[in-house]
Coordinates of all heavy atoms in Angstrom, one line a residue:
R1 N 120.2 120.6 61.5 CA 121.4 119.7 61.5 C 122.7 120.4 61.4 O 123.8 119.9 61.7 CB 121.3 118.7 60.4 CG 121.4 119.3 59.0 CD 121.2 118.2 57.9 NE 121.3 118.8 56.6 CZ 121.2 118.1 55.4 NH1 121.0 116.8 55.5 NH2 121.2 118.7 54.3
D2 N 122.7 121.7 61.0 CA 123.9 122.5 60.8 C 124.2 123.4 61.9 O 125.2 124.2 61.8 CB 123.8 123.3 59.5 CG 123.7 122.4 58.2 OD1 124.4 121.4 58.2 OD2 122.9 122.8 57.3
L3 N 123.5 123.4 63.0 CA 123.6 124.4 64.0 C 125.0 124.3 64.7 O 125.6 125.3 65.1 CB 122.5 124.3 65.1 CG 121.1 124.5 64.5 CD1 120.1 124.6 65.7 CD2 121.0 125.7 63.7
F4 N 125.5 123.1 65.0 CA 126.7 122.9 65.7 C 127.9 123.4 64.8 O 129.0 123.5 65.3 CB 127.0 121.4 66.1 CG 126.2 121.1 67.4 CD1 125.3 120.1 67.4 CD2 126.5 121.7 68.6 CE1 124.6 119.7 68.5 CE2 125.8 121.4 69.7 CZ 124.9 120.4 69.7
S5 N 127.7 123.6 63.5 CA 128.8 124.0 62.7 C 129.0 125.5 62.7 O 129.9 126.1 62.1 CB 128.6 123.6 61.2 OG 127.4 124.2 60.7
G6 N 128.1 126.2 63.4 CA 128.2 127.7 63.6 C 127.9 128.4 62.3 O 128.7 129.2 61.8
V7 N 126.7 128.2 61.8 CA 126.4 128.7 60.4 C 126.2 130.2 60.5 O 126.3 130.9 59.5 CB 125.1 128.1 59.9 CG1 125.3 126.6 59.5 CG2 123.9 128.2 60.9
A8 N 125.9 130.8 61.7 CA 125.6 132.2 61.8 C 125.9 132.7 63.2 O 126.1 131.8 64.1 CB 124.2 132.6 61.4
D9 N 126.0 134.0 63.4 CA 126.1 134.5 64.8 C 124.8 134.6 65.5 O 124.8 134.5 66.7 CB 126.8 135.9 64.7 CG 128.1 135.9 64.1 OD1 129.0 135.3 64.6 OD2 128.3 136.5 63.0
V10 N 123.7 134.7 64.7 CA 122.4 134.8 65.3 C 121.4 133.9 64.5 O 121.4 133.9 63.3 CB 121.9 136.3 65.3 CG1 120.5 136.4 65.9 CG2 122.8 137.2 65.9
L11 N 120.7 133.1 65.3 CA 119.7 132.2 64.6 C 118.3 132.6 65.2 O 118.1 132.7 66.4 CB 120.0 130.8 65.0 CG 119.0 129.8 64.4 CD1 119.2 129.6 62.9 CD2 119.1 128.4 65.1
V12 N 117.4 132.9 64.3 CA 116.0 133.3 64.7 C 115.0 132.2 64.4 O 115.1 131.5 63.3 CB 115.6 134.6 64.1 CG1 116.4 135.7 64.6 CG2 115.6 134.6 62.6
T13 N 114.1 132.0 65.3 CA 113.0 131.0 65.1 C 111.9 131.3 66.1 O 112.0 132.2 67.0 CB 113.5 129.6 65.4 OG1 112.5 128.6 65.1 CG2 114.0 129.4 66.8
D14 N 110.7 130.6 65.9 CA 109.7 130.8 66.9 C 110.0 130.1 68.2 O 110.8 129.2 68.2 CB 108.3 130.3 66.3 CG 108.4 128.8 66.1 OD1 108.8 128.4 65.0 OD2 108.0 128.1 67.0
G15 N 109.3 130.5 69.3 CA 109.6 130.0 70.6 C 109.3 128.5 70.7 O 110.1 127.8 71.5
F16 N 108.3 128.0 70.1 CA 108.0 126.5 70.2 C 109.2 125.7 69.6 O 109.7 124.8 70.2 CB 106.7 126.2 69.5 CG 106.3 124.8 69.6 CD1 105.5 124.3 70.6 CD2 106.7 123.9 68.6 CE1 105.2 123.0 70.7 CE2 106.3 122.6 68.6 CZ 105.5 122.1 69.7
T17 N 109.6 126.1 68.4 CA 110.6 125.4 67.7 C 112.0 125.6 68.4 O 112.7 124.6 68.6 CB 110.8 125.9 66.2 OG1 109.5 125.7 65.6 CG2 111.8 125.1 65.5
G18 N 112.3 126.8 68.8 CA 113.5 127.1 69.5 C 113.7 126.3 70.8 O 114.8 125.8 71.1
N19 N 112.6 126.2 71.6 CA 112.7 125.5 72.8 C 112.9 124.0 72.6 O 113.8 123.4 73.2 CB 111.4 125.7 73.6 CG 111.5 125.2 75.0 OD1 111.2 124.0 75.3 ND2 111.9 126.0 75.9
A20 N 112.2 123.4 71.6 CA 112.4 122.0 71.2 C 113.8 121.7 70.7 O 114.4 120.7 71.1 CB 111.4 121.6 70.2
V21 N 114.4 122.6 69.9 CA 115.7 122.4 69.3 C 116.7 122.5 70.4 O 117.7 121.7 70.5 CB 116.0 123.5 68.3 CG1 117.5 123.5 67.9 CG2 115.2 123.2 67.0
L22 N 116.6 123.5 71.3 CA 117.6 123.6 72.4 C 117.6 122.4 73.3 O 118.7 121.9 73.6 CB 117.3 124.9 73.2 CG 118.3 125.2 74.4 CD1 119.7 125.6 73.8 CD2 117.8 126.3 75.3
K23 N 116.5 121.9 73.7 CA 116.4 120.8 74.6 C 116.9 119.5 73.9 O 117.6 118.7 74.5 CB 115.0 120.6 75.1 CG 114.6 121.6 76.1 CD 113.1 121.5 76.5 CE 112.8 122.5 77.6 NZ 111.4 122.5 78.0
S24 N 116.7 119.4 72.6 CA 117.2 118.3 71.8 C 118.8 118.4 71.8 O 119.4 117.3 71.9 CB 116.7 118.4 70.4 OG 117.2 117.3 69.6
M25 N 119.3 119.6 71.6 CA 120.8 119.7 71.5 C 121.4 119.4 72.9 O 122.4 118.7 73.0 CB 121.1 121.1 71.1 CG 120.8 121.5 69.7 SD 121.1 123.2 69.3 CE 122.8 123.2 69.2
E26 N 120.8 119.8 74.0 CA 121.3 119.5 75.3 C 121.2 118.0 75.6 O 122.2 117.5 76.1 CB 120.5 120.3 76.4 CG 120.8 121.8 76.3 CD 119.9 122.6 77.3 OE1 119.0 121.9 77.9 OE2 120.1 123.8 77.5
G27 N 120.1 117.4 75.2 CA 119.9 116.0 75.4 C 120.9 115.2 74.6 O 121.5 114.2 75.1
T28 N 121.2 115.6 73.4 CA 122.1 114.9 72.5 C 123.5 115.0 73.1 O 124.3 114.0 73.2 CB 122.1 115.5 71.1 OG1 120.8 115.4 70.6 CG2 123.2 114.8 70.2
A29 N 123.9 116.2 73.6 CA 125.3 116.4 74.2 C 125.4 115.5 75.4 O 126.5 114.8 75.6 CB 125.5 117.8 74.6
L30 N 124.4 115.4 76.3 CA 124.5 114.6 77.5 C 124.5 113.1 77.2 O 125.3 112.4 77.8 CB 123.3 114.9 78.4 CG 123.2 116.3 79.1 CD1 121.9 116.5 79.8 CD2 124.4 116.4 80.1
T31 N 123.8 112.7 76.1 CA 123.8 111.3 75.7 C 125.1 110.9 75.2 O 125.6 109.8 75.5 CB 122.7 111.1 74.7 OG1 121.4 111.4 75.2 CG2 122.6 109.6 74.2
I32 N 125.7 111.7 74.4 CA 127.0 111.4 73.8 C 128.1 111.2 74.9 O 128.8 110.2 74.9 CB 127.5 112.5 72.9 CG1 126.7 112.5 71.6 CG2 129.0 112.4 72.5 CD1 126.9 113.7 70.7
M33 N 128.1 112.1 75.9 CA 129.0 111.9 77.0 C 128.7 110.7 77.9 O 129.7 110.0 78.3 CB 129.0 113.2 77.9 CG 129.5 114.4 77.3 SD 131.1 114.2 76.5 CE 132.1 113.7 77.9
Q34 N 127.5 110.4 78.1 CA 127.1 109.1 78.8 C 127.5 107.9 78.0 O 128.0 106.9 78.6 CB 125.6 109.1 79.1 CG 125.1 110.1 80.1 CD 123.6 110.3 80.2 OE1 122.9 109.6 79.4 NE2 123.2 111.1 81.1
L35 N 127.3 107.9 76.7 CA 127.8 106.8 75.9 C 129.3 106.5 75.9 O 129.8 105.4 76.0 CB 127.3 107.0 74.4 CG 125.8 106.8 74.2 CD1 125.5 107.2 72.8 CD2 125.3 105.4 74.4
L36 N 130.0 107.6 75.8 CA 131.5 107.6 75.9 C 131.9 107.0 77.3 O 132.8 106.1 77.3 CB 132.1 108.9 75.7 CG 132.1 109.5 74.2 CD1 132.5 110.9 74.2 CD2 133.0 108.6 73.3
T37 N 131.3 107.5 78.3 CA 131.7 107.1 79.7 C 131.4 105.6 79.9 O 132.2 104.9 80.4 CB 131.0 107.9 80.7 OG1 131.3 109.3 80.5 CG2 131.4 107.5 82.1
T38 N 130.2 105.2 79.5 CA 129.8 103.8 79.6 C 130.7 102.9 78.8 O 131.1 101.8 79.2 CB 128.3 103.6 79.1 OG1 127.5 104.4 79.9 CG2 127.9 102.1 79.3

């Protein structure tokens, strides 16, 4: 939940978790823009 606040310069995690987190962040960003536009 703190990733967008820029808690560190480098974040390490396993590949399964990292992939899920990245896609979740991208999806959230796209959803926010779609909600604003609508």
Side-chain angles (χ1 to χ4, degrees):
R1 66 181 180 181
D2 295 323
L3 299 189
F4 279 120
S5 64
V7 291
D9 298 295
V10 180
L11 179 75
V12 293
T13 183
D14 64 272
F16 182 89
T17 304
N19 189 270
V21 166
L22 182 68
K23 288 177 179 176
S24 177
M25 293 175 73
E26 290 177 354
T28 300
L30 290 171
T31 300
I32 290 172
M33 293 309 302
Q34 288 171 358
L35 288 172
L36 286 172
T37 302
T38 301

